[in-house]
Amino acid sequence: MTSRARDRHSLHLRHAYDDLVRNRGVHAALLAVLVLSAFLMATGSMVVERLADSVGALAEQAQPPHFLQMHKGGYDRPALEAFAARHDEIAAWLVTEMVGYESSALSWHRPGTGESGSLASGRFDNLFVTQNDEFDHLVDEDGDVPRPAPGEVYVPVKYAQAFGLRAGDALTVSTDRGPFELDVQGVVKDAQMAASASSATRVLVSDEDLEHLRQAGGLPEVIVEYRLADAALADGFQAAYEADEALPRNGPAVTGQQIQIISTFSDGLSAMALILVSVLLVVVALVSLRFVIRQTLEDRVHEIGVMKAIGIPDRAISGMYLPTYVVMTLVACVVGGLLAVVATDVLTQDLRASYATPEIGPWTVLVPLIALAVVFLVVVAICRDVLRGVRKIPVVNALVHGSTSDERQTARRARRRARRVRRTGLASSAGTGVNRRLALLDLRAEGRQWALLPVVFLLTAVLITVPANLLSTFESPQLVTSMGAPERDLRVDLQLQDDVDGVRQELAAALEGDRRLTGLRAYANVQYRTEGAEGPVHLPVEVGDYSGETVRFTAGGAPAAGQIALSALNASELRLGVGDTMTVERGGESTEVEVSGVYQDLTAGGKTAKMQGEVTQGASAYLFYADVADGEDPVAVADALQEQFPTTAVFPMAEYLQQTFAGTTDAFRGAARLALVLGVAVALLVTSLFLRLRVARDRSTTGVLSAIGFSAREIVAQVRTKTLVTVTAGTLLGLVLAATGGEVLASGLLGALQMGVADLAFLPDPWLVYVLHPLLLVGAGCLGVVLATAGLRSADKSQWLRG
Amino acid sequence: MDQLVVLESRALTKTYVSTAPPTEVLRGIDLSVRAGELLVIMGASGSGKSTLLYSLSGMDRPTGGQVLLDGRELTSLSDAEMARVRLTRMGFVFQQPHFLRNLDVRDNILLPALKAASRQGRHAAIARADALMERFGIAHVQDHGVTQVSGGQLQRASLCRALAGEPSVVFADEPTGALNSSMSADVMDALTDVHRSGTTIVMVTHDPAVAARGDRVVYLRDGVLVDAHTPGPWQEAEAQQREDDLLAWLRELGF
């Protein structure tokens, strides 16, 4: 570097330092917003990278299947063998035998300390299995494939996370033959069922113990699993599997890719929320920076005029102001990045436990660095662009009038102002009303200069409202109507088991005769086939009574006889709409049905259908919905029914929802809390930043007001009125935008993730979203006024007039 | 002169502690302003003239001493009480035309009067302001924006605003400092007119021609009142003589 360049650099840095110190409060607030943006962007990207790496590393160790089909009851093994022989793309296949037990049948104790507990509250589908030989392994914390001896058990990570189970504890299963105790040898990770959204979980035991558990009353279930030569063949393979009538198929079928999406979605949702929040914060930071730079140019207009007059090129002048913002952004990226390292470590603790501990590779460092570099470059580019405005400042106007505008701009502004002042009409006010009227007149005349506040409050209101609405939507009992289910107090699931039709008959009779229940509706899950784009596909249809207001349809309505309603995912996959006809086939009998409506279904992979009718035999599962009579407690009724019919699953609807969406709602809850804290903090920071600059710029007006008899309190009240009007307007607009555009955005994102959502209608908690949150935001604005105007009362007012 | 004392300062001091070392701008000022008097404060730049004016008007809080308006101690008043005093008892004319840019000339003039008035008193305040605009020849620009009128018109509007509330004292800080000689004469004629109608005026100026119109001229040096010159009531015919006498006095003081 030449000595001239060195001098220039040192001059620029000194200038940057002076600038930073001169407007300490404003720059501190700006820096805080930038640090938050950089921190969230880096954290979000790091968590996503760690998650993808963790999921990938576990998949490498555990070799999960590329396609799996769950099934209950007997199955035709030769048919599976014949199918495998016909398909060269199969690299390996196996049938995992599982034995299911209810969570309430499991308990644990710790011999060393005497501690004990039940696993009932976990509400997991506990599936006991043995270790597979070829693929789909359950791996321990070191990535090894453990094989328990008789009497030993390896419990899933979920038990460790929910109940603190660890090696040395004892797990007791209440079986028909009495308690069966197993020694916990360690914890295993399950690539197939690791997602926090998955309620099923596998427990690893020896062959002997699995047999014992089967004979002692556990529900047998199998998973038919395939490893393919190429994972990309999974979709075509699924179609081929579903086309073969002889194969077992009465449970859900999932591809490896879907498992990965579910894992990444449910565990990566918080990270995605972090990134979205950070994008909004970057926008807030950019809007604020633009404002601060423009104010700085106006404050330094004389200095700029002098530099221009002595012949310093425009580029060099703007180059003198840029380092302030480059330094701030750099500091923000470094601090945000360092904080992100700590935050990521905390946020990925559960991920490391559920999946594999990822290796630190080049991408671990590169991904957050790229994210931070994007933030840095975008912010600096915008600053550079705003500073380019220096070249438009006319020298004479800058030196003589202290104005950044040229003649035309000044004239235009004067004309605009003249038009406005003609209609001020202050004479209609008197006494204390003058103060408020003056504030509103000011705001009307200088609305554009106050635009920063409504814009930032609009963004923060969206930031706070969308996650809160998503959370309340996924927590609302009404959501079931958007999930292809009626809104009732209870849900009773009867899955395939020995003599399922007999149990159904007994259950239906008991429910109908139960005085505690009202509005009972029965549905049967019947397996149909239809023609898909790539051949025949499996179509699970819920047959039952859909008359009245049961399910919310996004298009069309409930099916009548000869009609079918399709879930959004099925409608889009089969390319069918309301009024179209399709052929469905069951037991060799084909029927033509008309599509009556489309609904969204977030459960069972989102691919379901509904038909009007009554099926009491031959279904793969049965479902009952009912309300409880007035004065009855749904939880108590559910518990009593569960005891009466132990082979069914009875849920109070609230609990069913909570359980179904636990992973999703946890992620939304985290995002909603984070967004609320950040939104309020940013609103406060930007308000105080803006008002500090505004108050400084308005000092001459404030001096006039003070001289002619306005007290500091009244002057502060004017600032407060203007702030209140602008932040309230911004917040209200933000609420409207969140309820409209936010809903579309959330629907789009969830739809893109193949979650079965076609048209998500927010179910907001009105007190929270329309009262509490706006009050908090507006409160942050008011606190900003207090902070920014604190110095006004004690100031010597004449200084404002004397410059 | 045995008129009533309207405004009085006793051992008034003002020290700026934000500088290192602290700057003593006013050092024990004792000053009385009588009702109907036009008192002129002169002094070199940095002598503390404006600080004295703003301390007397309560815009600045003095560090020590007292300021009394009609016998009422001002330095102990709260900010709101002091604002009320400025609103109802004082008027201001500044060197720069300090106006609210978002109001037209008329509303700027009306602002303090309307604020001080009750809802019933509003019409009287408006009538008074209209009369003042007529008197000072700016009625025709009353609905103009403040950026659309000349400096002289603005200074006359300033005077209208100062008088609209019928104050006890008008404070004028270099009222002609930003004007050319013709506009300056216009404004001084208006001020003299106001003074003749009995209004007490305390004015800071550099300009001997303007200062010559004062009943009494006090000279401030380094925060201390060093001397006073009393030309007596203004007579147009004696203008040149008064100015010469004043200049001679100022020369003696090293101005």
Side-chain angles (χ1 to χ4, degrees):
Chain A
M1 195 185 284
T2 63
S3 69
R4 206 169 141 191
R6 215 173 18 248
D7 286 350
R8 198 171 59 235
H9 271 91
S10 107
L11 179 71
H12 283 189
L13 284 176
R14 207 166 51 240
H15 193 269
Y17 176 78
D18 286 349
D19 211 27
L20 283 170
V21 171
R22 186 160 140 167
N23 240 331
R24 219 175 282 136
V26 169
H27 288 125
L30 204 50
L31 184 64
V33 177
L34 283 168
V35 167
L36 280 177
S37 315
F39 164 66
L40 292 180
M41 184 64 92
T43 308
S45 60
M46 273 164 100
V47 171
V48 167
E49 190 277 335
R50 298 279 74 194
L51 174 65
D53 223 17
S54 278
V55 171
L58 180 60
E60 192 65 31
Q61 291 165 0
Q63 300 284 305
H66 293 134
F67 171 74
L68 65 88
Q69 170 71 55
M70 300 185 88
H71 180 81
K72 286 182 180 173
Y75 64 93
D76 183 355
R77 178 131 193 135
L80 284 170
E81 281 164 3
F83 176 77
R86 285 199 306 277
H87 288 272
D88 293 342
E89 68 268 39
I90 298 173
W93 70 281
L94 54 80
V95 179
T96 300
E97 305 268 348
M98 307 188 291
V99 177
Y101 275 88
E102 286 288 313
S103 285
S104 55
L106 303 183
S107 60
W108 63 276
H109 70 272
R110 187 161 295 153
T113 61
E115 289 171 85
S116 62
S118 165
L119 268 61
S121 62
R123 294 271 179 188
F124 299 126
D125 293 338
N126 309 284
L127 302 165
F128 286 86
V129 294
T130 57
Q131 187 63 269
N132 289 321
D133 289 327
E134 290 185 64
F135 64 95
D136 190 24
H137 305 301
L138 299 177
V139 296
D140 67 14
E141 282 160 324
D142 301 323
D144 295 331
V145 178
R147 293 180 191 278
E152 291 179 351
V153 63
Y154 282 83
V155 295
V157 172
K158 283 175 187 167
Y159 287 7
Q161 285 170 343
F163 303 102
L165 259 70
R166 57 176 190 242
D169 293 344
L171 181 74
T172 307
V173 187
S174 299
T175 70
D176 293 350
R177 296 182 181 175
F180 183 64
E181 192 170 300
L182 296 158
D183 294 331
V184 177
Q185 294 297 306
V187 170
V188 279
K189 299 170 182 179
D190 185 341
Q192 204 187 102
M193 299 175 182
S196 57
S198 163
S199 64
T201 188
R202 291 191 288 184
V203 190
L204 186 62
V205 292
S206 65
D207 292 336
E208 293 83 347
D209 290 338
L210 186 69
E211 191 50 37
H212 177 87
L213 287 167
R214 189 189 337 263
Q215 286 175 9
L219 285 174
E221 197 170 333
V222 296
I223 312 179
V224 186
E225 305 182 15
Y226 294 92
R227 283 287 286 185
L228 304 177
D230 181 356
L233 300 171
D235 284 342
F237 184 79
Q238 180 174 12
Y241 185 97
E242 287 175 351
D244 194 328
E245 279 291 324
L247 302 180
R249 64 188 40 247
N250 65 20
V254 191
T255 63
Q257 199 188 2
Q258 284 169 328
I259 292 173
Q260 205 136 357
I261 287 174
I262 291 167
S263 297
T264 317
F265 176 73
S266 55
D267 290 304
L269 200 60
S270 311
M272 285 189 266
L274 285 178
I275 293 174
L276 280 178
V277 169
S278 109
V279 169
L280 274 179
L281 282 190
V282 170
V283 175
V284 169
L286 288 177
V287 175
S288 309
L289 264 169
R290 213 178 140 80
F291 173 78
V292 170
I293 294 173
R294 287 185 164 185
Q295 299 286 312
T296 305
L297 292 185
E298 287 189 21
D299 286 348
R300 300 275 186 118
V301 67
H302 281 291
E303 184 181 288
I304 292 168
V306 170
M307 284 191 277
K308 283 188 153 216
I310 61 174
I312 297 177
D314 293 340
R315 228 181 130 83
I317 298 173
S318 48
M320 287 186 74
Y321 296 96
L322 189 62
T324 308
Y325 306 101
V326 174
V327 167
M328 271 173 67
T329 315
L330 195 63
V331 168
C333 285
V334 170
V335 174
L338 290 175
L339 290 174
V341 174
V342 181
T344 305
D345 196 52
V346 175
L347 288 172
T348 53
Q349 261 169 12
D350 274 0
L351 293 182
R352 287 200 298 272
S354 300
Y355 302 97
T357 304
E359 299 276 319
I360 304 284
W363 287 109
T364 317
V365 182
L366 277 177
V367 166
L369 278 185
I370 291 170
L372 287 173
V374 168
V375 172
F376 179 81
L377 291 174
V378 167
V379 172
V380 171
I382 297 286
C383 291
R384 194 185 287 272
D385 186 58
V386 181
L387 281 169
R388 222 171 267 156
V390 161
R391 69 177 173 199
K392 292 187 192 153
I393 299 176
V395 186
V396 175
N397 275 15
L399 284 173
V400 179
H401 306 296
S403 163
T404 55
S405 316
D406 60 26
E407 291 300 333
R408 272 172 56 194
Q409 285 171 319
T410 311
R412 202 165 51 228
R413 199 169 298 159
R415 275 200 302 276
R416 210 166 40 226
R417 197 182 291 281
R419 269 200 307 277
R420 280 199 201 104
V421 298
R422 249 174 241 148
R423 296 186 297 273
T424 53
L426 193 66
S428 59
S429 336
T432 49
V434 171
N435 206 41
R436 200 178 316 116
R437 178 126 181 94
L438 200 55
L440 295 176
L441 286 174
D442 255 2
L443 199 56
R444 195 184 74 174
E446 293 173 354
R448 282 162 77 173
Q449 293 169 39
W450 280 78
L452 178 72
L453 281 189
V455 168
V456 169
F457 275 73
L458 180 148
L459 291 171
T460 45
V462 171
L463 175 72
I464 290 174
T465 309
V466 172
N469 277 349
L470 275 170
L471 176 63
S472 60
T473 302
F474 276 79
E475 279 183 337
S476 165
Q478 286 174 46
L479 181 68
V480 289
T481 61
S482 306
M483 288 167 30
E487 189 186 351
R488 292 279 190 266
D489 295 337
L490 289 183
R491 171 185 167 120
V492 185
D493 274 37
L494 182 59
Q495 298 287 330
L496 195 71
Q497 53 188 272
D498 290 342
D499 190 24
V500 65
D501 296 335
V503 178
R504 187 233 172 245
Q505 203 171 351
E506 197 186 327
L507 178 64
L511 295 178
E512 269 164 32
D514 195 325
R515 285 187 177 180
R516 294 169 300 182
L517 303 178
T518 60
L520 182 73
R521 296 265 177 139
Y523 299 92
N525 202 333
V526 182
Q527 301 300 324
Y528 278 85
R529 279 168 55 142
T530 189
E531 204 59 37
E534 294 173 16
V537 292
H538 177 71
L539 184 69
V541 180
E542 245 174 48
V543 182
D545 181 8
Y546 291 98
S547 56
E549 290 287 313
T550 51
V551 177
R552 203 174 72 85
F553 289 88
T554 54
Q563 289 187 322
I564 190 167
L566 295 174
S567 72
L569 277 188
N570 259 337
S572 109
E573 200 163 292
L574 298 169
R575 295 188 191 118
L576 291 170
V578 175
D580 292 344
T581 56
M582 65 186 288
T583 307
V584 292
E585 185 201 324
R586 183 185 175 221
E589 194 181 316
S590 291
T591 321
E592 185 149 300
V593 286
E594 182 196 354
V595 178
S596 69
V598 176
Y599 58 92
Q600 47 194 357
D601 188 351
L602 297 159
T603 57
K607 292 183 188 174
T608 56
K610 295 180 186 302
M611 282 165 70
Q612 180 76 13
E614 188 181 10
V615 172
T616 57
Q617 285 189 339
S620 59
Y622 295 96
L623 259 176
F624 294 89
Y625 291 100
D627 281 327
V628 296
D630 287 346
E632 294 287 348
D633 173 21
V635 177
V637 175
D639 286 349
L641 284 172
Q642 183 71 68
E643 201 164 313
Q644 198 181 344
F645 296 96
T647 57
T648 64
V650 186
F651 299 98
M653 197 52 101
E655 191 182 314
Y656 172 74
L657 275 177
Q658 199 274 329
Q659 192 179 319
T660 307
F661 296 115
T664 313
T665 48
D666 282 353
F668 286 146
R669 190 172 296 110
R673 282 183 188 156
L674 179 81
L676 180 64
V677 171
L678 287 180
V680 172
V682 166
L684 174 62
L685 282 171
V686 174
T687 310
S688 62
L689 166 156
F690 171 80
L691 289 179
R692 269 170 190 276
L693 285 173
R694 198 69 239 166
V695 166
R697 282 192 61 74
D698 283 348
R699 56 185 175 263
S700 146
T701 307
T702 312
V704 177
L705 288 174
S706 179
I708 63 176
F710 284 76
S711 65
R713 196 177 161 162
E714 287 167 322
I715 293 166
V716 170
Q718 281 194 23
V719 180
R720 195 176 300 154
T721 303
K722 289 187 250 187
T723 309
L724 201 63
V725 169
T726 46
V727 304
T728 306
T731 305
L732 291 177
L733 283 173
L735 291 180
V736 172
L737 189 65
T740 52
E743 198 172 84
V744 174
L745 181 76
S747 281
L749 276 177
L750 293 178
L753 288 164
Q754 292 288 297
M755 288 284 287
V757 177
D759 173 27
L760 182 77
F762 279 155
L763 301 167
D765 177 345
W767 281 104
L768 197 69
V769 172
Y770 297 119
V771 180
L772 188 65
H773 287 175
L775 280 179
L776 273 174
L777 264 185
V778 174
C782 291
L783 184 60
V785 179
V786 173
L787 294 177
T789 54
L792 275 182
R793 287 168 201 264
S794 55
D796 271 348
K797 281 81 182 170
S798 72
Q799 297 303 322
W800 301 329
L801 291 171
R802 289 193 271 179
Chain B
M1 282 207 197
D2 52 358
Q3 288 121 309
L4 228 59
V5 171
V6 179
L7 184 70
E8 189 178 0
S9 76
R10 293 178 188 161
L12 196 66
T13 61
K14 175 75 183 175
T15 306
Y16 288 114
V17 290
S18 55
T19 56
T23 314
E24 276 188 88
V25 184
L26 300 178
R27 297 193 272 187
I29 304 283
D30 291 310
L31 182 68
S32 300
V33 184
R34 295 176 195 94
E37 185 180 18
L38 197 170
L39 175 77
V40 178
I41 304 170
M42 293 193 80
S45 289
S47 59
K49 306 184 294 290
S50 292
T51 304
L52 175 59
L53 186 90
Y54 288 119
S55 294
L56 289 173
S57 65
M59 287 279 284
D60 273 356
R61 291 267 175 198
T63 312
Q66 288 181 310
V67 176
L68 295 101
L69 180 69
D70 293 332
R72 186 184 183 194
E73 229 290 65
L74 298 186
T75 46
S76 59
L77 296 182
S78 70
D79 176 76
E81 288 167 332
M82 194 58 238
R84 186 81 199 155
V85 169
R86 280 199 297 276
L87 180 70
T88 53
R89 312 291 306 281
M90 297 175 178
F92 288 87
V93 181
F94 306 103
Q95 178 177 5
Q96 298 296 333
H98 287 302
F99 281 95
L100 303 186
R101 289 176 308 168
N102 301 322
L103 300 181
D104 62 15
V105 170
R106 183 169 189 260
D107 280 347
N108 262 294
I109 291 169
L110 274 172
L111 182 60
L114 286 175
K115 186 171 186 303
S118 62
R119 197 145 271 284
Q120 292 75 22
R122 191 161 55 93
H123 296 294
I126 293 170
R128 205 162 46 242
D130 287 343
L132 282 166
M133 284 188 282
E134 282 293 339
R135 177 177 165 193
F136 293 116
I138 55 167
H140 62 291
V141 293
Q142 60 176 301
D143 59 352
H144 285 38
V146 291
T147 52
Q148 294 173 297
V149 296
S150 72
Q153 285 170 326
L154 273 185
Q155 239 9 1
R156 278 181 277 153
S158 223
L159 202 51
C160 291
R161 180 177 63 185
L163 296 171
E166 297 181 313
S168 302
V169 186
V170 170
F171 293 94
D173 185 8
E174 303 271 13
T176 57
L179 302 177
N180 61 29
S181 56
S182 133
M183 284 181 183
S184 176
D186 269 3
V187 169
M188 277 321 295
D189 287 346
L191 255 179
T192 308
D193 188 28
V194 168
H195 169 231
R196 281 211 180 109
S197 60
T199 305
T200 308
I201 299 174
V202 179
M203 177 169 70
V204 164
T205 186
H206 269 108
D207 185 348
V210 170
R213 300 201 183 210
D215 297 327
R216 184 159 57 113
V217 183
V218 294
Y219 192 81
L220 201 62
R221 184 188 292 144
D222 298 333
V224 178
L225 278 181
V226 291
D227 202 0
H229 174 71
T230 314
W234 168 253
Q235 300 293 331
E236 185 72 49
E238 299 169 359
Q240 193 55 53
Q241 182 59 49
R242 287 170 71 100
E243 193 177 334
D244 291 344
D245 291 348
L246 182 68
L247 280 169
W249 174 69
L250 288 170
R251 259 193 300 276
E252 272 174 41
L253 292 168
F255 183 70

